[in-house]
Amino acid sequence: MPLRAKIDELKLPNMAATNGTEKPKTGIKIIIVGAGFGGLTAAIEAKRQGHDPVIYEAFPELKVLGDIISFGPNAGRIFYRWNDGEITRKMRALSIDLSSYGFNIHKYDTGEIVVNQKTPMKDEKAPVFNGHRGELHEIVFNYAKEIGVPIHLGHRVENYWEDEKSAGILLEDGTRVEADVVVGSDGVRSKARTLVLGYEDKPKSSGYAVWRAWFSNKDMLADPETAHFCNNGDTFNGWIGPDVHFLFSTIKNGSDCCWVLTHRDEADIAESWSFPGHLKDVYKVLEGWDPMCKKIVSKTPEEKLVDWKLVYRDPLPTWVSGYGKAPGHGRICLLGDSAHPFLPTSAQGATQALEDGVALAILLRKAGKSNIRGALRAFQEVRYERVGKVQKTGETTRDMWHKTDWAKVKDNPESIQLPREDWIFGFDQEKYTEENGDDIIQKVSAAA
Ligand SMILES: Cc1cc2nc3c(=O)[nH]c(=O)nc-3n(C[C@H](O)[C@H](O)[C@H](O)COP(=O)(O)OP(=O)(O)OC[C@H]3O[C@@H](n4cnc5c(N)ncnc54)[C@H](O)[C@@H]3O)c2cc1C
Ligand SMILES: *[C@@H]1O[C@H](CO)[C@@H](O)[C@H](O)[C@H]1NC(C)=O
C-alpha cells in the first residue's frame, strides 16, 4: 500500500485537517529557533504530525539571500508531500532544467568535454531542485505561514533554558517563552550548539574556499562566444583540475547565470557567508585553464562576487541536551547546519536539514508529550549515522575531482561523473521513521 494511503487510513474521522495529512493534536508545543530550510521544515512537518510549532528568527524581514542551492530527490520526496505537489510545482518553475542538456564535464586545460552526464528521468514524486536559495526559501517560508505556523521575525534568541517539565528561550528584550521542546535550527554559527554541548565547538578551516556569483545573462548574451550558454535554455558545465573545480550553470531558461569555483585556501577566519571577492584573484587561479572559464568569470559584475571560506567541523558527539556527556534535561536539540554543516560538494546540506525535520516530528508524535526525552534521543539515533556518511561524500567527490588521473578517465569517462547513490537519493525519511521509530524510541527510553 502506498504510504499516503496508509496515512489516510490512520486518520481519525472527526479531526480537522488542512491538507488531508494532518494528524490528531498531540499537545506538544515546539519552539523552533531559525527560519532556514531546517527550521521551516521542522515546523511544517510538526504541523503535519499534529504538534504546535512556533518559529523565532533573528532576521527582521525575509530577504532573497544566497545563490545556488541543491535539493536531491530525497528532499523532493519531502516537498512533494506538502500540499499535494503544489510546492514542488512552484519550485520547478525557478529551478534549473537539464533534461535535454545534462552536465558537461571538461578537462581543465584543454577544455575538451570528457563526458556528458545525462540527467535522470524526472520523477514527479521525488524531484530534484537546483535554484536560487533565496527564491526557493521564499516558497517554503510562505507555505509555512499559509498553514498557520506563527513566525516571529526580528526576534534574536539570546539563551535557552530547560527543566524536568519544560524548555524555553530567552529573547533579546528579556521575554521568556516556554514550550515542551526547543529546536536549535540556528545555522552554522549556532548559539544553541554551545548550550547543548556545554562547551564551544570551534570550526576548523577545511583548507578550501569557494568563490561564487549569481548574475543576469546580459553580458553573456552580448558576447557571441558565450551567448550559447543563455539562448537555448538551461546549461550546466564543470571544469575539473588539480585542487580546483569550476561549475557554471544557467538557470530559468538561461536568464540567470551562476558559477562556483572551489580552490585551496588555508585562511583561518571566522565563519561567514559573504566576503566581497575580487575578480583578479579568480583570474590568478584560472591561469593555464581553458580560456572559456576566464571569459565566463569576466561577465560577472564584481559586486556580485562572494568569497566564501569553507569551514569544517568534526561530527558533534551529541545533538541533544542531557544525552551522552551533554548537560541538561533532554528537551533541547540541534537540527540542520547547527548539528552538522556540510561541504557544498556533497550537495546535500539543505536536504539533510529537511530529513531532520521529518524525523523529529514523527518521533515526537510516536513518543508523545510524556516522553519528549525519548523522542529527541531517538531523533539523534535515527539521523546520526546517515548524516555522518552523507557528510563524507562532500570530501570524496571533491577529492575524486581534484586528484583526477586523466589517463584512467580516458578509458572510463563515467568514473568522473557526479555520484548519484541510491542510499542517499532513494531514501524516504518519512517511511523509514514510521517503520522504525517505535523500536528506536523504546530502546533509547530504557537507557539511562
Ligand atoms: C543568508 C544565508 C544564505 C545562504 N546561502 C546559501 C547558498 O547560496 N547556497 C547554499 O548551498 N547554502 C546557503 N545557505 C545555507 C543553507 O541554507 C543551509 O546550509 C541549509 O539550508 C540548512 O539550513 P538550516 O536551516 O540548518 O540553517 P540556515 O539556513 O543557516 O538557517 C539558520 C537560521 O537561523 C537564524 N538564526 C541564527 N541565530 C539565531 C538566533 N540566535 N535567534 C534567532 N534566529 C537565529 C538565521 O538568521 C537563519 O535564518 C545560506 C544560509 C543563510 C542563512
Ligand atoms: C526561452 O528563451 C528563449 C530565448 O532564449 C525563447 O525563445 C523561449 O521562448 C523561452 N522559453 C520560455 C518557456 O520562456
Side-chain angles (χ1 to χ4, degrees):
M1 191 190 306
L3 189 68
R4 182 60 197 281
K6 226 160 59 196
I7 291 165
D8 285 343
E9 201 176 73
L10 292 170
K11 261 166 51 181
L12 297 183
N14 62 346
M15 73 183 214
T18 52
N19 61 10
T21 49
E22 197 168 313
K23 303 272 194 328
K25 292 277 173 233
T26 61
I28 300 174
K29 278 192 71 176
I30 310 174
I31 292 171
I32 295 169
V33 182
F37 283 105
L40 290 171
T41 300
I44 292 165
E45 292 290 328
K47 271 273 185 198
R48 289 182 71 220
Q49 300 297 331
H51 314 308
D52 224 341
V54 53
I55 297 180
Y56 290 85
E57 164 61 52
F59 275 136
E61 56 182 329
L62 185 72
K63 280 211 190 110
V64 181
L65 292 171
D67 46 73
I68 188 96
I69 200 163
S70 297
F71 291 96
N74 45 328
R77 201 169 278 124
I78 294 167
F79 289 136
Y80 183 77
R81 292 184 174 124
W82 298 351
N83 210 2
D84 292 323
E86 186 53 34
I87 302 304
T88 53
R89 270 191 291 281
K90 286 186 181 157
M91 292 176 86
R92 169 155 312 133
L94 295 173
S95 298
I96 193 165
D97 178 1
L98 297 171
S99 44
S100 53
Y101 195 90
F103 174 35
N104 286 333
I105 304 183
H106 304 251
K107 187 160 181 280
Y108 69 104
D109 49 359
T110 61
E112 71 191 280
I113 297 174
V114 180
V115 63
N116 172 265
Q117 182 168 4
K118 300 269 173 291
T119 303
M121 288 272 288
K122 268 192 198 136
D123 179 346
E124 184 73 22
K125 295 186 173 173
V128 169
F129 298 109
N130 285 278
H132 193 288
R133 186 241 179 219
E135 294 174 356
L136 298 175
H137 180 254
E138 192 174 21
I139 294 174
V140 176
F141 183 90
N142 288 340
Y143 178 58
K145 273 193 11 199
E146 198 181 293
I147 61 170
V149 176
I151 305 179
H152 302 287
L153 297 180
H155 285 70
R156 178 172 294 283
V157 174
E158 282 297 323
N159 219 331
Y160 295 62
W161 55 269
E162 62 178 330
D163 54 36
E164 297 277 305
K165 293 198 174 64
S166 59
I169 52 171
L170 202 66
L171 297 173
E172 244 171 343
D173 66 359
T175 313
R176 216 174 118 100
V177 193
E178 184 176 313
D180 299 297
V181 186
V182 178
V183 177
S185 42
D186 52 348
V188 70
R189 281 177 288 173
S190 168
K191 184 169 230 159
R193 179 168 48 222
T194 308
L195 291 157
V196 164
L197 290 175
Y199 62 87
E200 198 180 337
D201 172 74
K202 285 255 194 289
K204 303 190 295 193
S205 162
S206 69
Y208 287 88
V210 184
W211 282 300
R212 41 201 303 158
W214 184 291
F215 49 98
S216 106
N217 67 2
K218 195 170 111 289
D219 291 347
M220 294 282 297
L221 278 176
D223 183 337
E225 277 190 61
T226 51
H228 66 94
F229 288 112
C230 301
N231 57 19
N232 277 307
D234 295 349
T235 64
F236 184 26
N237 286 272
W239 283 258
I240 310 300
D243 267 344
V244 179
H245 65 272
F246 175 66
L247 303 176
F248 171 64
S249 43
T250 54
I251 299 175
K252 293 194 275 183
N253 194 27
S255 64
D256 288 7
C257 303
C258 166
W259 58 263
V260 294
L261 189 153
T262 302
H263 63 108
R264 288 212 76 96
D265 183 335
E266 300 291 346
D268 195 14
I269 44 110
E271 292 166 74
S272 174
W273 273 107
S274 32
F275 292 85
H278 304 287
L279 289 171
K280 65 172 179 15
D281 298 335
V282 183
Y283 297 151
K284 243 181 257 160
V285 170
L286 288 176
E287 259 166 45
W289 280 51
D290 176 5
M292 182 54 84
C293 299
K294 186 172 173 188
K295 213 163 195 44
I296 292 167
V297 169
S298 75
K299 311 298 180 206
T300 313
E302 192 152 36
E303 74 274 9
K304 300 276 184 183
L305 182 61
V306 173
D307 177 4
W308 173 36
K309 317 286 183 195
L310 290 178
V311 296
Y312 202 63
R313 291 175 186 284
D314 289 325
L316 300 181
T318 179
W319 305 344
V320 176
S321 70
Y323 199 22
K325 289 204 173 78
H329 299 274
R331 290 178 177 272
I332 304 176
C333 71
L334 306 175
L335 181 145
D337 278 3
S338 70
H340 46 69
F342 275 73
L343 291 174
T345 27
S346 72
Q348 276 278 319
T351 298
Q352 292 301 312
L354 258 64
E355 288 188 357
D356 281 356
V358 169
L360 179 63
I362 295 172
L363 292 163
L364 281 168
R365 191 195 80 234
K366 284 179 173 291
K369 198 174 159 86
S370 62
N371 189 16
I372 300 291
R373 195 181 78 147
L376 296 202
R377 290 180 171 199
F379 162 65
Q380 175 173 324
E381 295 305 325
V382 163
R383 296 287 304 143
Y384 196 85
E385 203 186 311
R386 174 171 170 78
V387 164
K389 275 172 69 184
V390 179
Q391 267 173 315
K392 284 214 181 71
T393 65
E395 289 170 72
T396 45
T397 300
R398 180 196 66 202
D399 293 346
M400 162 187 91
W401 278 351
H402 288 187
K403 300 185 172 85
T404 303
D405 178 339
W406 291 102
K408 280 201 184 127
V409 168
K410 250 207 163 72
D411 297 333
N412 182 13
E414 271 84 40
S415 66
I416 201 174
Q417 297 191 141
L418 269 176
R420 294 202 172 102
E421 294 184 72
D422 195 54
W423 67 270
I424 300 179
F425 286 179
F427 188 69
D428 184 340
Q429 184 69 60
E430 178 167 308
K431 184 163 180 280
Y432 179 85
T433 313
E434 287 290 357
E435 286 171 4
N436 299 282
D438 291 315
D439 287 350
I440 298 168
I441 290 167
Q442 203 179 8
K443 226 178 280 161
V444 289
S445 302

